Amino acid sequence: MPEDERDLLVAAVWLHDIGYAPELRETGFHPLDGARHLESLGAPRRLVCLVAHHSGAVYEAEQRGLVTELEPYEREDSPLLDALIYSDMTTGPAGQRFDFGRRIDEILVRYEPGSEVHTAISRARPYLGAAVERARARPGG
């Protein structure tokens, strides 16, 4: 990452799942709930949008009927978003290091077939895999 974007990436990696906190739950869709919370705190717009769109969030928004609610948060197709996706898609829920395939499998086992998350991750797999590969292909990746 360019030096001027590293702090933003670190913040996004740390905060991307903040919307899982029960006290922040509004819609039950953690990328949107997290982005709304960060926005209410006056967080930088790019951070808010990265949280809103981490790891193919639009695929799950489609399953939940929340695309319209996600639209105000611009998605940037950038090395920064790829790096955030890479971080999420190569780290397990307890911080363990996974390769991409194992991480996807872990998610699919945790969520029942037919659930919003299972369906969304299944549909997002090619998009997520491409982002992981782009991140790996960059210098230092």
Side-chain angles (χ1 to χ4, degrees), residues 16 50-60 81 84-89 103 120-121 124 127-128:
H16 74 276
L50 286 165
V51 168
H53 285 283
H54 77 274
S55 300
V58 70
Y59 290 88
E60 189 174 339
L81 182 59
L84 177 57
I85 291 169
Y86 174 87
S87 297
D88 193 20
M89 292 293 117
R103 173 68 165 134
I121 287 294
Y127 165 77
L128 298 171

Side-chain angles (χ1 to χ4, degrees), residues 8-9 13 18 20 30-31 36 38 42 52 62 66 72 77 96 102 105 108-109 115 122 126-128 132 137:
L8 180 56
L9 175 59
V13 168
I18 194 170
Y20 278 123
H30 80 277
R36 285 178 171 174
L38 291 172
E62 290 169 354
L66 293 171
D77 291 316
Q96 62 274 52
R102 186 169 171 217
D105 292 345
L108 294 177
V109 166
S115 70
S122 297
Y127 165 77
L128 298 171
V132 166

